[in-house]
Amino acid sequence: MTNPRIQKSDAEWKALLAEKGAEPAAFEVTRHAATERPFTGKYEAHWADGSYHCVCCGAKLFDSGTKFDAGCGWPSFSQAVPGAITEHVDRSHGMVRTETVCSNCGAHLGHVFPDGPAPTGLRYCMNSASLDFAPEDGQA
Ligand SMILES: [Zn+2]
């Protein structure tokens, strides 16, 4: 198991997220693998062009072009930026699921399921609170 490059204490993450103005749920979601309630996240039905980054460390995780409406109440993506996400087997809650964390800082993001659209067949089911959206980069 590889350790994330960025490691901070709970108090440090809490302070950093508060400073960034992250959602109140962001700390529990990203550092303690909580799950936000469905249909409550600000990015659940957010379709602007741009990219989604880790709310903790700013690493780019997804392009808006891979976001799709899975109807599950959480932001869903069919493909992650290569190398940006690390997967772990999660046996909590009596299920076997694949947890996804930020490769850079270890933030819990959500889970990935094998029932997404072609061509990947994957559904990255993310907590909105763990994401930070940036509009299309480059020249306007
Ligand atoms: Zn991160």
Side-chain angles (χ1 to χ4, degrees):
M1 177 164 157
T2 54
N3 285 319
R5 286 185 283 277
I6 298 178
Q7 301 197 34
K8 293 180 191 292
S9 70
D10 275 4
E12 287 173 319
W13 283 122
K14 213 171 232 178
L16 183 144
L17 289 167
E19 196 175 305
K20 280 187 170 185
E23 290 177 57
F27 175 76
E28 284 301 319
V29 167
T30 57
R31 308 323 311 185
H32 294 291
T35 298
E36 70 193 11
R37 285 185 300 121
F39 302 104
T40 60
K42 63 181 173 183
Y43 298 133
E44 192 264 323
H46 179 266
W47 302 106
D49 286 338
S51 53
Y52 293 83
H53 299 249
C54 172
V55 74
C56 288
C57 74
K60 183 176 170 182
L61 304 173
F62 300 101
D63 279 309
S64 59
T66 66
K67 193 174 189 293
F68 69 101
D69 185 2
C72 62
W74 290 281
S76 300
F77 303 84
S78 58
Q79 195 172 350
V81 170
I85 285 179
T86 300
E87 299 181 358
H88 297 295
V89 176
D90 172 9
R91 297 181 188 278
S92 65
H93 305 292
M95 295 177 273
V96 180
R97 294 177 295 171
T98 304
E99 181 194 8
T100 54
V101 303
C102 172
S103 298
N104 197 40
C105 75
H108 172 82
L109 305 169
H111 292 85
V112 59
F113 299 96
D115 58 8
T120 61
L122 297 173
R123 172 170 61 95
Y124 288 88
C125 182
M126 301 290 104
N127 286 283
S128 180
S130 66
L131 301 174
D132 197 13
F133 177 78
E136 202 78 73
D137 35 37
Q139 314 286 327

